[in-house]
Amino acid sequence: MQSIMTTTDKINRRIKQIAPGEVFGYASLGLSADEVIAGAKALSRLTSKGIVKRARKGYYYKPKVSVFGEQKPREEALLGLYLYEDSRQTAYVTGTRLYNRLGLTTQVPNSVRVASQDRQIKGRAGSISVKPAKSYVKVTPDKIRYLEILDVMKDFNSIPDMQAKDGLAYLKKEIGRLKNDEIKKLVSYGISYPPKVRALLGAVLEDTKKEGDFKKLKASINPSSRYQYSITVKLLPTINLWNIE
């Protein structure tokens, strides 16, 4: 009984320091492995009293009340819960939500695609439905900038309202910013993507005069295959070298 009371006191002190609307989990409360069970019971009691509310399994928030009523945590904060596993980022936002953030589409989806290599991520973040997407490589925070570029190439033909010239402008700008060692990383991750992505990556790299392992990319695609992107030679002069049309 003493252990439960001690844990409850610890949780109460920590929760008083957490801002209303901020999402927190067991790690934020500083509980040891021996205190988790007692902590779960304490949080259950606080939930039943309305002091905290459950955001999703293992995560809670202090409700924020204004003149307009109770305000739930921001969707971005709730969405962030799906990106981490044991405090490690193992997933990232992709699809139309990503392309809207990048300025490639004006459409705002009512669902969000979350990509992970080894998890099928489903759920809700406020009013937003969270749906799974495939990551072609293991997700770590340092890889995400490269995976976003490659995802634009993968979904190039299906990004809502995007014109080919705008998509290519984005790719050339982002790839143009990369240093040689970063280009090597982009190519190494790109090899795991479908052949059409490898073809477009090679064409953009050659067009931007960036150094890269072109032989590795070229050898990874079928020389008799054609890759449909509706891109003209005027927009990307190197497409014929990479079987793109």
Side-chain angles (χ1 to χ4, degrees), residues 44 49 56 83-84 127 143 182 203 212 219 237 241:
S44 178
K49 294 177 181 178
R56 58 168 295 202
L83 306 183
Y84 292 82
S127 62
K143 295 178 184 175
E182 294 172 326
L241 301 174

Side-chain angles (χ1 to χ4, degrees), residues 65-137:
V65 180
S66 70
V67 293
F68 302 104
E70 182 184 319
Q71 297 178 348
K72 294 184 177 181
R74 292 180 299 107
E75 288 176 346
E76 290 297 331
L78 294 172
L79 181 59
L81 299 179
Y82 293 92
L83 306 183
Y84 292 82
E85 192 173 32
D86 297 329
S87 300
R88 295 177 296 107
Q89 186 167 2
T90 60
Y92 68 99
V93 173
T94 188
T96 305
R97 180 85 165 216
L98 167 64
Y99 308 138
N100 176 273
R101 177 171 65 79
L102 298 178
L104 297 174
T105 179
T106 57
Q107 290 199 15
V108 180
N110 55 15
S111 63
V112 176
R113 294 283 180 181
V114 175
S116 176
Q117 187 181 51
D118 49 15
R119 291 194 289 151
Q120 285 283 306
I121 299 173
K122 300 177 183 179
R124 296 200 68 82
S127 62
I128 297 293
S129 173
V130 178
K131 297 182 178 180
K134 177 181 179 179
S135 175
Y136 292 85
V137 299

Side-chain angles (χ1 to χ4, degrees), residues 3-4 15 27-28 38 42 55 75 86 135 154 180 190 197 231 237 242:
S3 173
I4 294 177
I15 288 177
S28 306
E75 288 176 346
D86 297 329
S135 175
K154 175 177 65 72
N180 288 342
V197 175
I231 295 173
W242 293 88

Side-chain angles (χ1 to χ4, degrees), residues 56-235:
R56 58 168 295 202
K57 185 177 180 181
Y59 291 92
Y60 302 82
Y61 66 94
K62 287 168 61 177
K64 183 178 181 179
V65 180
S66 70
V67 293
F68 302 104
E70 182 184 319
Q71 297 178 348
K72 294 184 177 181
R74 292 180 299 107
E75 288 176 346
E76 290 297 331
L78 294 172
L79 181 59
L81 299 179
Y82 293 92
L83 306 183
Y84 292 82
E85 192 173 32
D86 297 329
S87 300
R88 295 177 296 107
Q89 186 167 2
T90 60
Y92 68 99
V93 173
T94 188
T96 305
R97 180 85 165 216
L98 167 64
Y99 308 138
N100 176 273
R101 177 171 65 79
L102 298 178
L104 297 174
T105 179
T106 57
Q107 290 199 15
V108 180
N110 55 15
S111 63
V112 176
R113 294 283 180 181
V114 175
S116 176
Q117 187 181 51
D118 49 15
R119 291 194 289 151
Q120 285 283 306
I121 299 173
K122 300 177 183 179
R124 296 200 68 82
S127 62
I128 297 293
S129 173
V130 178
K131 297 182 178 180
K134 177 181 179 179
S135 175
Y136 292 85
V137 299
K138 187 177 180 63
V139 177
T140 55
D142 58 300
K143 295 178 184 175
I144 292 174
R145 62 182 296 206
Y146 305 104
L147 302 184
E148 290 179 348
I149 293 172
L150 294 166
D151 281 0
V152 170
M153 295 183 177
K154 175 177 65 72
D155 295 333
F156 196 90
N157 292 336
S158 59
I159 296 175
D161 304 329
M162 187 188 78
Q163 299 295 314
K165 63 180 180 63
D166 297 326
L168 286 173
Y170 163 80
L171 292 173
K172 291 179 182 181
K173 180 184 70 174
E174 292 302 312
I175 290 176
R177 291 174 173 173
L178 300 179
K179 300 176 182 177
N180 288 342
D181 61 325
E182 294 172 326
I183 291 293
K184 290 179 180 178
K185 292 179 182 179
L186 180 64
V187 171
S188 69
Y189 305 144
I191 289 294
S192 298
Y193 274 71
K196 73 170 191 175
V197 175
R198 291 174 249 152
L200 185 55
L201 175 58
V204 174
L205 285 173
E206 285 208 82
D207 182 69
T208 54
K209 303 298 189 293
K210 286 289 186 177
E211 294 183 10
D213 195 345
F214 298 120
K215 290 183 179 179
K216 187 175 182 180
L217 281 172
K218 184 76 78 172
S220 73
I221 63 176
N222 189 331
S224 63
S225 296
R226 307 297 297 179
Y227 304 105
Q228 304 293 327
Y229 273 108
S230 298
I231 295 173
T232 64
V233 173
K234 184 177 180 180
L235 288 175

Side-chain angles (χ1 to χ4, degrees), residues 12-33:
N12 286 334
R13 286 196 299 271
R14 291 295 180 105
I15 288 177
K16 286 179 180 179
Q17 299 170 355
I18 295 174
E22 181 180 339
V23 179
F24 64 91
Y26 290 110
S28 306
L29 299 175
L31 301 181
S32 67

